[in-house]
Amino acid sequence: MVSHFTSSEVLVVTLLPNRSIEWASLRLFIIIISITTLAVGTFWAFMGFWAILVFSGLDAILVGWLLCKVFEQSYNRQVTSIYPENIKIQFGKSFPQRSWQLEKSKVLLGVADAPHPLAPIGLRIYDSQHSIELGDFLNKEDKEEALSLLKAAGLKTRTYNKNSLRPV
């Protein structure tokens, strides 16, 4: 998902992953999967195959943990603030965990061609010291929207080959 805010001096572009489920629904799904798995394991334990109960418990724990880890990644965000003289890029979840300050006149927006018509383009911001990938979690339409916003902000662009990330 791409959102943006424009004031007189700054354009702020926020990139967020699309979330297909909310936390309450995910929690309910994990509970249903766990109860079902443990019920099947309990049935087989009463039939004499007690070792299955251990594996069904491990299965419920593993599925719940993995779903929570994947859901946690959906809170990543990338915020690009474009000022008249510089660009500030911040990555993080609830607060900036990584941050870069780049001089706008020395920045190049690299656009990597999509390897397939349905695949998304690649976006990178370059300067002499940094190469920062933008929106690696975005779908094709969102990346194209982000590209048009960054181009409209006056960033110079260059097309790259996706495999080599070298200028074409």
Side-chain angles (χ1 to χ4, degrees):
M1 181 169 79
V2 178
S3 64
H4 67 283
F5 168 80
T6 306
S7 73
S8 61
E9 291 189 15
V10 64
L11 167 67
V12 179
V13 179
T14 304
L15 308 176
L16 300 162
N18 294 321
R19 277 189 222 128
S20 60
I21 193 169
E22 294 298 321
W23 174 244
S25 301
L26 179 68
R27 193 172 49 219
L28 178 64
F29 179 73
I30 291 171
I31 289 170
I32 290 170
I33 291 292
S34 298
I35 288 173
T36 304
T37 302
L38 292 173
V40 169
T42 303
F43 170 77
W44 286 107
F46 281 124
M47 298 300 285
F49 300 103
W50 59 268
I52 290 176
L53 187 58
V54 174
F55 289 108
S56 66
L58 289 174
D59 181 44
I61 290 170
L62 183 63
V63 167
W65 181 75
L66 288 173
L67 285 172
C68 288
K69 293 302 277 183
V70 168
F71 186 76
E72 179 184 318
Q73 293 302 314
S74 73
Y75 281 94
N76 283 336
R77 70 178 54 224
Q78 297 177 349
V79 179
T80 304
S81 304
I82 302 172
Y83 298 93
E85 299 298 321
N86 57 31
I87 298 173
K88 186 174 185 180
I89 302 171
Q90 298 173 323
F91 290 4
K93 288 189 175 80
S94 55
F95 61 90
Q97 294 169 331
R98 293 182 296 178
S99 183
W100 296 269
Q101 187 98 12
L102 309 172
E103 192 175 327
K104 187 175 178 181
S105 64
K106 296 180 180 179
V107 166
L108 179 68
L109 177 63
V111 181
D113 291 330
H116 186 274
L118 299 176
I121 58 174
L123 293 177
R124 282 191 178 273
I125 289 189
Y126 293 96
D127 72 355
S128 60
Q129 299 174 349
H130 304 95
S131 173
I132 305 164
E133 186 171 0
L134 295 179
D136 59 339
F137 46 77
L138 294 178
N139 60 25
K140 180 180 179 180
E141 293 80 19
D142 288 344
K143 277 199 176 182
E144 289 170 358
E145 182 182 352
L147 174 62
S148 67
L149 285 170
L150 294 171
K151 276 184 176 180
L155 293 182
K156 296 177 274 185
T157 61
R158 166 100 25 111
T159 303
Y160 287 83
N161 183 334
K162 180 86 171 171
N163 295 331
S164 67
L165 289 178
R166 299 280 182 236
V168 175

